[in-house]
Amino acid sequence: MQFGFGAPVSGALARPQSLARIAGEGEAIGYDYCTISDHVVIPRDIEARYPYSDTGEFPSRSRGDRHEQLAAVAFIAGKTSRLRLVTSVTVVPHRPGVLLAKMLATIDVLSDGRLTWGIGAGWMKEEFEALGLPPFAERGAVTDEYILACRELWTKDDPRFDGRYVKFSNILFDPKPVQKHLPIWVGGESGPALRRTARLGDGWYPIGTNPQHRLDSMKRFAAGVERLRGLAHEAGRDPKAIALAYRVTQWGRALPARADDGERRLFSGEIADVVADLRAFRDFGVGHVDFNFDGATADEMLANMRRFREDVLAKV
């Protein structure tokens, strides 16, 4: 099992010196990957519901200054040598399809094959409108088509694509990614996200706190995986070929001990409880779990990362 941490791309810790230090020392501490989030602009007024809180309100801490995701990934790649880089997640329609493929291929080449492309279709309608993107209602279709177009560009010597949202032919696209098959983790917990994972994904990468599709107990998570495997079988794919990853946004005693289905809430309780949940995930076949770490300064965040590595992860 591999463990990751969230790299700060907004706020004071996203300043170059702090971000480079957190990424570099996170690698030295022994974390396997870091995650980098994606917003290009934050509208002042947001009516769209944020999927990962009970209130639907976008977190206030996420509204400040923020780096563009893929530029930040490239920066972190240059400050590290082993750490894997996971986009968490790229809102696929935010960037034109061919340009997106080129940016990702460049990052993979310059990082010597350390990129994992976590993807999602997006939820913030106002941000789509500010960026002048295709209609928000078509974001799922755009996402699927861009994924196919990216793979065409990454793998074919004479790439050609004739879709609704992206078209190309008679072009050169080099260099290709270092990874012969650049891994795609599909974020999201909804039916469309599961179907996208089953058809196009190399991994499923949910968050447990979506109130519309909770995965905050082992029973619920296992049911989600079972549904995914059924959809993969229907799509003609080997369900075991789809990796399982999970993003943990909160843990410890601050969480209620029970989810609202009556089962134990994942990652609640004492250190021993969190260790037990990670062991259960490992035994179930989850290969990757990542965490957010608090800290007003780089020193504080890194201290929390070291403590968690020693007290929890070393015991899994």
Side-chain angles (χ1 to χ4, degrees), residues 13 61 249 251 292-298 300-305:
L13 297 187
R61 66 180 181 275
T249 57
W251 68 90
N292 287 336
F293 293 96
D294 294 328
T297 66
E300 289 182 10
M301 181 173 171
L302 286 164
N304 289 332
M305 289 169 61

Side-chain angles (χ1 to χ4, degrees), residues 101-135:
K102 187 64 174 182
M103 295 171 76
L104 293 165
T106 299
I107 291 170
D108 197 61
V109 170
L110 296 181
S111 69
D112 197 23
R114 289 189 281 139
L115 179 64
T116 294
W117 190 28
I119 66 99
W123 63 271
M124 192 187 294
K125 182 179 180 181
E126 295 87 351
E127 187 174 14
F128 273 63
E129 293 170 348
L131 294 173
L133 301 177

Side-chain angles (χ1 to χ4, degrees), residues 120-174:
W123 63 271
M124 192 187 294
K125 182 179 180 181
E126 295 87 351
E127 187 174 14
F128 273 63
E129 293 170 348
L131 294 173
L133 301 177
F136 182 71
E138 299 175 22
R139 66 195 185 281
V142 173
T143 296
D144 291 348
E145 190 169 293
Y146 281 14
I147 291 171
L148 294 172
C150 284
R151 282 184 166 155
E152 175 77 7
L153 290 161
W154 293 338
T155 60
K156 301 293 180 62
D157 291 332
D158 184 19
R160 297 174 181 271
F161 199 89
D162 186 17
R164 180 178 178 185
Y165 304 101
V166 59
K167 301 175 186 289
F168 52 80
S169 63
N170 196 31
I171 60 172
L172 297 172
F173 187 95
D174 288 301

